[in-house]
Amino acid sequence: MCIRDRYMGIVDFENRQQPMRSHPPTTSPYAPYDEKMNKEVMSGAWAEYRFVKGPNIMERVRPWGEGVKTHKGKGVWHYYKSTTTGPRPECEGIDDGGQKFAGVNFATQDYLSLGGNQRIKDECIKTVREYGVHSGGSPAAMGRSKYYHALCNEISDFLGTKSTILYATGWLAGYGGISALVRPYDYIIMDKLAHNCLQEGSFIATQNVFMVRHLDNRAIEEKLKEIREKDQENGIMVVTEGLFSMDSDTPNLGELQKICKKYNAILFLDMAHDFGVMGENGRGAWENMGLEDKSNVIFMGAGSKVMCTNFGFVSCIDENVIEYIKLFSTALMFTNAVSPVQATSALTSLKIVRSPEGRQLRKKVIDNSTYVREKLNQHGIQTLGSPSPIVPVMIGDEKIIRVLARFLLDHGILANPMEFPAVPYGTARFRLQVQAGHTKQHLDFFVDAIVKGLAEAKRVVAKIMAEPAPEAVPEQRPRL
């Protein structure tokens, strides 16, 4: 059965051994769109509720909850979907409104498609039988296992560093690594599109945080010069990413490292999205640019994109940096350590990354990214950045992307819409997360669906926005 037939409607969850039923898309509980949707769900942003006011903390969030219910009822609440099968290139799930879905999966992160790898599963089963499933404590309080240590050593050897520490998640690694090293009298210069964990870690560490234009090394140098002219005593950390996840682009890291050295600054590089998947050997954008000098660089990364489990790491050529983090990172000391089975999953995945099989998988995912980008561009649909596992598909209008995301879900495409505040107003986009396991049939299916869906979404939005606004109602639900 072809993909189109499988995913034109609802999955037969009650009788899984049978092929998925073919239904017309109008069987969706949310269709037809132009009858179920209205201006209420077409406007506003959830960020408007970030700073609610009122003396009762519980009562003041109730309007927000009512707004969420409205969006769920209209089928345009696109967050907190859950999988009911493994998050493979094709999977099944349920949305936050309780409706089942199935389709080609561009929403979850498994760039090399190792999540279902039998070798990894077998190794994890062995570890569970040996250790159980729990770490039993924080890294500082006997929570580390022999697999934890083996993973630290493997990452250090892979990156060419001398020491590595593991955090429970990638977010904690970014937050914890920065906040452990930077003091209130120090300075941080950061790309304005840096990940939330990097921003949160920076602002908790010091008030001297300067956000600069995206990928603008000149702006970074100007700020470094300004700081050093008045302060030669305190530290400066420059924070950026190897692959920015909303734009699929990369700074000129070689130039940036030289600028940092010129002003005695440390470069903190988040390689969460390029680690294991970019570069000939998988060492990320750093390798892609032919860089070898790591003397003033602190690497931070995550296991959730390639290594099939939740953990983060900070790695450095200077062992003293890692020893300092071990004691002064609260995000490390006061949370449980990466469990033995998680460490085993990551360790086995990384060994595959370093093998000829890993090289083939990296080539496949970049080939897939290049292919789908070219197909979308042929239809006049803009994609951002350069080929990577991330393909940002520009839509622009928040109203259109809300309808289009529902259309795609109903037609067997699982893709995450991104709108403000994740991206600026008017630049809404889909962030496709391409896998090595996707086939050309999968990619063609997506392109065909988004071309048709975009035309339908524009029609629906134009019709609804042309309708006269309803009379004001005193208890009107809030916009999101």
Side-chain angles (χ1 to χ4, degrees):
M1 181 182 292
C2 73
I3 294 175
R4 184 180 307 281
D5 291 337
R6 286 205 300 271
Y7 297 133
M8 285 298 283
I10 308 301
V11 177
D12 187 353
F13 284 84
E14 289 72 33
N15 195 11
R16 283 255 188 94
Q17 72 272 20
Q18 298 298 323
M20 296 180 185
R21 298 196 300 262
S22 176
H23 296 284
T26 52
T27 58
S28 164
Y30 302 114
Y33 306 103
D34 47 355
E35 294 179 11
K36 294 287 288 183
M37 296 185 185
N38 53 36
K39 290 183 180 179
E40 184 179 2
V41 298
M42 291 295 179
S43 58
W46 61 263
E48 296 172 7
Y49 284 79
R50 177 65 179 87
F51 297 102
V52 294
K53 293 183 178 181
N56 188 303
I57 292 175
M58 294 177 67
E59 288 181 359
R60 73 190 189 188
V61 302
R62 286 174 185 165
W64 158 257
E66 291 300 311
V68 170
K69 289 178 184 177
T70 298
H71 277 61
K72 288 180 181 180
K74 302 297 184 183
V76 291
W77 179 252
H78 301 301
Y79 307 103
Y80 290 94
K81 295 188 287 289
S82 304
T83 57
T84 55
T85 62
R88 309 290 180 257
E90 297 182 31
C91 76
E92 303 170 10
I94 187 167
D95 71 18
D96 209 28
Q99 297 298 327
K100 298 171 183 177
F101 61 79
V104 181
N105 177 20
F106 295 99
T108 58
Q109 299 165 339
D110 186 12
Y111 296 158
L112 299 187
S113 297
L114 295 177
N117 183 278
Q118 192 60 48
R119 174 183 168 189
I120 297 172
K121 290 192 288 186
D122 289 343
E123 291 299 320
C124 287
I125 290 169
K126 290 179 184 177
T127 299
V128 169
R129 287 173 177 160
E130 177 186 5
Y131 260 93
V133 295
H134 187 36
S135 62
S138 81
M142 207 169 163
R144 298 189 295 176
S145 66
K146 63 183 180 183
Y147 298 107
Y148 180 109
H149 288 287
L151 179 56
C152 287
N153 293 336
E154 190 78 14
I155 292 173
S156 295
D157 183 66
F158 181 57
L159 291 178
T161 55
K162 289 187 177 178
S163 188
T164 298
I165 190 70
L166 305 182
Y167 285 80
T169 67
W171 192 96
L172 287 173
Y175 175 90
I178 292 174
S179 60
L181 295 169
V182 175
R183 292 293 166 258
Y185 39 78
D186 292 327
Y187 304 84
I188 293 175
I189 303 172
M190 180 185 301
D191 190 297
K192 71 175 186 178
L193 297 187
H195 191 269
N196 170 267
C197 69
L198 307 175
Q199 295 193 32
E200 294 284 341
S202 296
F203 285 107
I204 202 69
T206 178
Q207 293 183 358
N208 304 321
V209 180
F210 302 95
M211 310 297 284
V212 298
R213 290 184 297 272
H214 183 47
L215 304 185
D216 192 339
N217 286 351
R218 298 276 71 80
I220 292 175
E221 182 167 17
E222 289 171 7
K223 183 54 69 173
L224 280 167
K225 181 180 179 183
E226 177 186 324
I227 293 170
R228 279 296 178 230
E229 284 178 350
K230 65 179 181 180
D231 189 344
Q232 294 83 42
E233 301 299 321
N234 296 305
I236 308 176
M237 178 180 283
V238 174
V239 180
T240 192
E241 301 185 24
L243 179 65
F244 283 86
S245 65
M246 294 298 177
D247 295 77
S248 187
D249 52 11
T250 299
N252 184 334
L253 294 174
E255 179 185 62
L256 184 55
Q257 183 186 28
K258 291 178 182 177
I259 292 171
C260 289
K261 284 195 169 188
K262 181 178 177 181
Y263 295 94
N264 192 23
I266 294 300
L267 178 60
F268 190 95
L269 180 62
D270 177 353
M271 54 192 313
H273 285 275
D274 54 315
F275 180 86
V277 69
M278 303 294 288
E280 182 180 359
N281 297 292
R283 297 187 181 96
W286 194 259
E287 179 186 28
N288 249 353
M289 296 184 182
L291 302 176
E292 296 182 358
D293 178 13
K294 307 176 184 70
S295 58
N296 67 329
V297 184
I298 298 171
F299 296 97
M300 166 257 153
S304 55
K305 314 304 184 294
V306 168
M307 290 185 285
C308 307
T309 193
N310 296 332
F311 83 96
F313 68 84
V314 176
S315 190
C316 187
I317 200 166
D318 188 339
E319 296 171 288
N320 296 314
V321 170
I322 302 303
E323 289 300 324
Y324 190 87
I325 288 175
K326 284 181 181 180
L327 191 62
F328 292 101
S329 177
T330 55
L332 180 72
M333 286 191 70
F334 298 103
T335 190
N336 266 29
V338 175
S339 72
V341 68
Q342 288 178 298
T344 297
S345 175
L347 183 61
T348 311
S349 298
L350 187 51
K351 289 179 179 178
I352 294 173
V353 165
R354 303 185 73 173
S355 72
E357 180 185 357
R359 184 169 297 186
Q360 293 172 1
L361 292 172
R362 282 189 291 278
K363 182 179 184 306
K364 181 66 180 348
V365 75
I366 298 302
D367 287 348
N368 281 345
S369 175
T370 302
Y371 179 83
V372 74
R373 285 170 176 270
E374 291 175 351
K375 288 290 185 180
L376 289 167
N377 296 161
Q378 288 171 10
H379 288 280
I381 298 176
Q382 181 188 4
T383 57
L384 300 182
S386 56
S388 78
I390 301 164
V391 181
V393 182
M394 285 298 295
I395 303 300
D397 192 310
E398 287 78 14
K399 297 182 292 295
I400 290 174
I401 202 170
R402 291 175 186 178
V403 178
L404 180 54
R406 186 71 237 180
F407 179 96
L408 293 178
L409 192 63
D410 291 341
H411 289 74
I413 296 292
L414 319 181
N416 292 322
M418 301 292 171
E419 55 177 282
F420 182 84
V423 295
Y425 273 121
T427 66
R429 67 201 67 175
F430 287 99
R431 184 176 72 175
L432 295 194
Q433 299 185 119
V434 178
Q435 298 186 30
H438 283 131
T439 65
K440 284 191 175 181
Q441 188 182 17
H442 290 142
L443 304 176
D444 289 338
F445 183 58
F446 168 77
V447 173
D448 182 63
I450 198 170
V451 168
K452 294 176 179 176
L454 186 56
E456 174 67 4
K458 289 178 178 179
R459 180 194 69 80
V460 170
V461 170
K463 176 181 177 183
I464 292 174
M465 298 310 291
E467 295 173 352
E471 294 184 10
V473 179
E475 296 296 326
Q476 192 174 22
R477 285 178 177 176
R479 300 181 305 164
L480 292 184

